[in-house]
Amino acid sequence: MVFSSAIFLFCFLPAVFVIDRLLPKQAWKNVWLALASIVFYAFGQLAYVPLFLGSVVLNYGMGLLLRGDGSHRKAAVAAAVVLNLGILCVFKYTDFLLSNLNALLGSSIPLPGIELPIGISFFTFQGLSYVIDVYRDPESGTDNFFKVLLYIAFFPQLIAGPIVKYHDIAAQIDCRSTTPGATAAGFQRFITGLGKKLLLSNAAGLIADTVFDTLLPAGGLDWRLAWLGGICYTLQIYFDFSGYSDMAIGMGRMFGFTIRENFNYPYTASSMRDFWRRWHISLSTWFREYLYIPLGGNRKGKRRTECNRMIVFLCTGIWHGANWTFVVWGVVHGLLTVLEDVGVIPVDRLEKSRAGRAVCRVYTLLAVMLLFVVFRADSLSDAGALIAAMFTGPQTCEGTYLLHELLTPAACLMLAVSVIAAAGLVPAVKGRIEGLSARGQTVCLGITRVLSLGLLVLAILNLARGGFNPFIYFQF
């Protein structure tokens, strides 16, 4: 069950919301939301509900051990880390490791073909953060199982984040308010995310899928189509994932929770370091707090700092999936940030002038897009073929025909809107209007509400056309 499906929009979400409002006590609401979240997960993968609940029980139990005193605490947190990462590795990386072992040794070990549990990377990292935080501060944990269950299982962010730390929402689990204003703002944010997914991401995804899955394997890809595919996937993954995050944050507000932002217009970044301060913020924060800083951060000299940075980006790539494309994607991101940090790529100096800032933004956007080609491709050879086609590919009559087929008026309109939205122009204009006067704020509020209703109508009409709308990050 995905947020952009009819059963979720018209059955599950309204039922959960209404019953939550009717329950008189906070404890009952917590139990209800926890149970509803388990049902939500069961709709996606019923067979893996025991695994998911086992992960919750594991981390809750380890949290109880860590809340006590004694020498067992280090052993308990080490066991929790090993068990959590062990479960993640078995289900996510077994086939990848065995296939590479077969290729290296010339062996023929059969691959088990384990199906990846939905959202395992997210709920594993969320459980790990709880255990590690309780190890660092025993008072930050809880003895109440349903609080831990709700924290990890809360359905808006269960499958694809944002990754939330327990101490950020512990007070809200105990006591939260649901005012009409907050509910309306949450609903509006949810609509924004729904529109991003159904209208913008899916439109770009149709073109990207055609290029990557149909035209690229056929060979002889027109350079214009190669660039179009790369640009469209760059737009697709942003609006797909940021749309999911908007819906998660919006639903959180509807139920009284404040979930931190996960994106801050990453395609306006002027360096790769700046990009990672804006892209998937919750994952970047997780790796910084639970890997980069424990490794020593930037406290042990420049060489050690850059080594720590590379380790973090290698792990970031591996976290995304069991394929060498993700490894290369993470390593190159790390390498570029290191080169920026040591001054080989002089973004700090260039950003001091207007022309230099423009150069930095072009460099960053080009690097991000080319690396997303690697991220999207099925193999490194496919990624190399598409990038080669972008710079050395032919210009063919067939390519011209396919461009006209793909770039319909509706597709061009959606791509134009996507570029404007990704560039952060809408909030900039809104801020200018709101800054003029109190009346400007009222006008903006009215326009926003009208646009939200229109966006909801368009999203529902799009949904009525049918088709499956999976989110890209469900596979991670």
Side-chain angles (χ1 to χ4, degrees):
M1 181 164 46
V2 296
F3 296 164
S4 53
S5 64
I7 189 172
F8 180 86
L9 292 172
F10 303 119
C11 297
F12 182 84
L13 180 59
V16 175
F17 179 80
V18 169
I19 294 175
D20 177 79
R21 283 293 196 271
L22 293 176
L23 291 173
K25 295 183 178 181
Q26 194 70 67
W28 296 1
K29 291 176 183 286
N30 289 344
V31 173
W32 166 244
L33 288 178
L35 295 176
S37 297
I38 295 171
V39 172
F40 174 81
Y41 192 86
F43 263 88
Q45 278 184 326
L46 179 61
Y48 280 137
V49 169
L51 171 68
F52 169 67
L53 292 177
S55 175
V56 176
V57 171
L58 167 66
N59 290 298
Y60 169 72
M62 289 299 182
L64 290 179
L65 289 175
L66 292 167
R67 282 171 63 79
D69 297 325
S71 58
H72 68 275
R73 298 183 73 250
K74 286 188 177 181
V77 73
V81 171
V82 170
L83 288 172
N84 275 286
L85 295 182
I87 293 170
L88 182 62
C89 287
V90 167
F91 283 92
K92 192 167 184 176
Y93 303 107
T94 297
D95 282 13
F96 176 68
L97 293 173
L98 289 179
S99 62
N100 280 279
L101 186 63
N102 286 338
L104 182 64
L105 302 178
S107 57
S108 56
I109 303 172
L111 306 183
I114 300 173
E115 183 182 5
L116 182 67
I118 295 175
I120 188 171
S121 296
F122 287 92
F123 68 71
T124 299
F125 268 32
Q126 198 143 303
L128 267 175
S129 74
Y130 173 76
V131 171
I132 296 172
D133 285 346
V134 174
Y135 171 72
R136 292 172 175 174
D137 177 16
E139 295 303 316
S140 66
T142 178
D143 295 334
N144 189 312
F145 173 73
F146 275 99
K147 289 183 180 180
V148 177
L149 177 60
L150 176 59
Y151 156 66
I152 297 177
F154 188 42
F155 70 88
Q157 43 78 220
L158 168 61
I159 304 298
I163 300 170
V164 179
K165 292 187 282 293
Y166 182 75
H167 60 75
D168 287 337
I169 64 166
Q172 299 168 46
I173 292 176
D174 290 331
C175 181
R176 57 186 180 273
S177 60
T178 51
T179 64
T183 301
F187 185 60
Q188 186 173 306
R189 184 68 179 270
F190 178 85
I191 294 173
T192 300
L194 185 66
K196 282 183 177 180
K197 168 60 180 171
L198 292 178
L199 303 178
L200 301 183
S201 175
N202 285 1
L206 287 174
I207 298 174
D209 290 347
T210 300
V211 172
F212 279 89
D213 298 336
T214 303
L215 302 180
L216 178 60
L221 185 63
D222 189 298
W223 69 270
R224 296 167 296 175
L225 289 168
W227 278 98
L228 181 63
I231 292 169
C232 283
Y233 184 70
T234 302
L235 293 171
Q236 178 195 6
I237 193 171
Y238 170 62
F239 286 109
D240 186 282
F241 195 19
S242 69
Y244 182 97
S245 296
D246 285 340
M247 286 187 267
I249 292 168
M251 283 188 289
R253 295 198 68 181
M254 291 164 62
F255 290 101
F257 290 93
T258 299
I259 299 174
R260 293 186 176 183
E261 297 294 333
N262 207 26
F263 289 89
N264 182 22
Y265 297 99
Y267 294 163
T268 65
S270 56
S271 68
M272 297 302 285
R273 290 172 296 171
D274 187 26
F275 174 80
W276 278 101
R277 288 190 287 266
R278 297 169 176 269
W279 176 273
H280 205 344
I281 298 169
S282 65
L283 181 67
S284 303
T285 302
W286 197 98
F287 273 114
R288 183 178 68 249
E289 293 187 7
Y290 301 112
L291 182 59
Y292 179 70
I293 292 176
L295 285 172
N298 59 0
R299 304 185 305 274
K300 297 185 177 182
K302 195 70 172 176
R303 182 174 299 179
R304 179 67 177 271
T305 297
E306 306 309 342
C307 180
N308 292 341
R309 195 188 303 272
M310 289 300 301
I311 292 172
V312 167
F313 275 101
L314 171 63
C315 292
T316 301
I318 294 172
W319 177 89
H320 277 85
N323 194 317
W324 285 108
T325 55
F326 298 118
V327 175
V328 170
W329 175 80
V331 168
V332 177
H333 266 284
L335 180 61
L336 291 175
T337 60
V338 167
L339 293 176
E340 290 175 2
D341 199 44
V342 299
V344 174
I345 301 177
V347 291
D348 293 335
R349 179 161 49 86
L350 290 172
E351 285 182 330
K352 295 178 181 179
S353 67
R354 179 175 296 182
R357 285 194 297 272
V359 171
C360 288
R361 289 192 173 186
V362 171
Y363 141 73
T364 303
L365 195 55
L366 180 61
V368 167
M369 183 183 66
L370 292 177
L371 286 169
F372 271 140
V373 168
V374 178
F375 188 95
R376 170 61 176 82
D378 292 332
S379 64
L380 291 176
S381 59
D382 282 352
L386 194 139
I387 293 173
M390 294 171 77
F391 294 97
T392 62
Q395 181 169 318
T396 64
C397 294
E398 182 185 10
T400 302
Y401 171 78
L402 289 172
L403 280 173
H404 286 292
E405 286 287 308
L406 293 173
L407 294 176
T408 63
C412 289
L413 174 62
M414 289 299 99
L415 292 178
V417 172
S418 297
V419 171
I420 293 171
L425 297 178
V426 175
V429 173
K430 181 181 177 183
R432 288 281 184 90
I433 296 174
E434 289 180 339
L436 295 176
S437 64
R439 186 177 181 182
Q441 296 178 10
T442 304
V443 170
C444 266
L445 180 61
I447 293 174
T448 301
R449 287 178 176 175
V450 171
L451 290 176
S452 293
L453 289 175
L455 187 61
L456 178 61
V457 171
L458 289 175
I460 291 174
L461 290 175
N462 183 279
L463 188 63
R465 293 167 55 187
F468 184 48
N469 298 292
F471 288 88
I472 291 173
Y473 266 69
F474 275 24
Q475 64 183 298
F476 306 134

